[in-house]
Coordinates of all heavy atoms in Angstrom, one line a residue:
C233 N -20.9 27.8 -12.2 CA -20.2 28.0 -13.5 C -21.2 27.7 -14.7 O -21.9 26.7 -14.6 CB -19.0 27.1 -13.6 SG -17.6 27.7 -12.6
R234 N -21.1 28.5 -15.7 CA -21.9 28.2 -16.9 C -21.1 27.3 -17.9 O -21.7 26.6 -18.7 CB -22.2 29.5 -17.6 CG -23.3 30.3 -16.9 CD -23.7 31.5 -17.6 NE -24.9 32.2 -16.9 CZ -25.4 33.3 -17.3 NH1 -25.0 33.9 -18.4 NH2 -26.5 33.8 -16.6
R235 N -19.8 27.3 -17.8 CA -18.9 26.4 -18.5 C -18.9 25.0 -17.8 O -19.0 25.0 -16.6 CB -17.5 27.0 -18.7 CG -17.5 28.3 -19.4 CD -17.9 28.2 -20.9 NE -17.0 27.3 -21.6 CZ -15.9 27.8 -22.3 NH1 -15.7 29.1 -22.4 NH2 -15.2 26.9 -23.0
E236 N -18.7 24.0 -18.6 CA -18.6 22.6 -18.0 C -17.3 22.5 -17.2 O -16.2 22.8 -17.7 CB -18.7 21.6 -19.1 CG -18.8 20.1 -18.5 CD -18.9 19.1 -19.6 OE1 -19.1 19.5 -20.8 OE2 -18.8 17.9 -19.3
V237 N -17.5 22.0 -16.0 CA -16.3 21.8 -15.1 C -16.4 20.3 -14.5 O -17.4 20.0 -14.0 CB -16.3 22.8 -14.0 CG1 -15.1 22.5 -13.0 CG2 -16.2 24.2 -14.5
V238 N -15.3 19.6 -14.7 CA -15.3 18.2 -14.0 C -14.7 18.4 -12.6 O -13.6 19.0 -12.5 CB -14.4 17.3 -14.9 CG1 -14.3 15.9 -14.2 CG2 -14.9 17.1 -16.3
R239 N -15.4 17.9 -11.6 CA -14.9 18.0 -10.2 C -14.3 16.7 -9.8 O -14.9 15.7 -10.0 CB -16.1 18.4 -9.3 CG -16.7 19.8 -9.6 CD -17.7 20.1 -8.5 NE -18.5 21.3 -8.9 CZ -19.7 21.2 -9.4 NH1 -20.3 20.0 -9.5 NH2 -20.4 22.2 -9.8
D240 N -13.1 16.8 -9.3 CA -12.4 15.6 -8.9 C -11.7 15.9 -7.6 O -10.5 16.3 -7.6 CB -11.4 15.2 -10.0 CG -10.8 13.8 -9.7 OD1 -10.8 13.3 -8.6 OD2 -10.3 13.1 -10.7
P241 N -12.4 15.6 -6.5 CA -11.8 16.0 -5.2 C -10.6 15.2 -4.8 O -9.8 15.7 -3.9 CB -13.0 15.8 -4.2 CG -13.9 14.8 -4.9 CD -13.7 15.1 -6.3
D242 N -10.3 14.1 -5.4 CA -9.2 13.3 -5.1 C -8.0 13.5 -6.0 O -7.0 12.7 -6.1 CB -9.6 11.8 -5.0 CG -10.6 11.5 -4.0 OD1 -10.5 12.1 -2.9 OD2 -11.5 10.6 -4.2
L243 N -8.1 14.5 -6.9 CA -7.1 14.7 -7.9 C -5.7 14.8 -7.4 O -4.8 14.1 -7.9 CB -7.4 16.0 -8.7 CG -6.7 16.1 -10.0 CD1 -7.2 15.1 -11.1 CD2 -6.9 17.6 -10.6
T244 N -5.4 15.5 -6.3 CA -4.1 15.7 -5.8 C -3.5 14.4 -5.3 O -2.4 14.0 -5.5 CB -4.0 16.7 -4.7 OG1 -4.6 17.9 -5.1 CG2 -2.6 17.0 -4.2
L245 N -4.3 13.6 -4.5 CA -3.9 12.3 -4.0 C -3.6 11.4 -5.1 O -2.6 10.6 -5.1 CB -4.9 11.7 -3.0 CG -5.1 12.5 -1.7 CD1 -6.3 11.9 -0.9 CD2 -3.9 12.5 -0.9
K246 N -4.4 11.3 -6.2 CA -4.2 10.5 -7.3 C -2.9 10.9 -8.0 O -2.1 10.0 -8.5 CB -5.4 10.5 -8.3 CG -6.6 9.8 -7.7 CD -7.7 9.6 -8.7 CE -8.4 10.8 -9.0 NZ -9.6 10.6 -9.9

Side-chain angles (χ1 to χ4, degrees):
C233 285
R234 291 184 172 178
R235 299 293 297 266
E236 183 176 354
V237 178
V238 178
R239 299 187 192 99
D240 191 336
D242 297 324
L243 194 70
T244 307
L245 293 176
K246 289 191 284 189

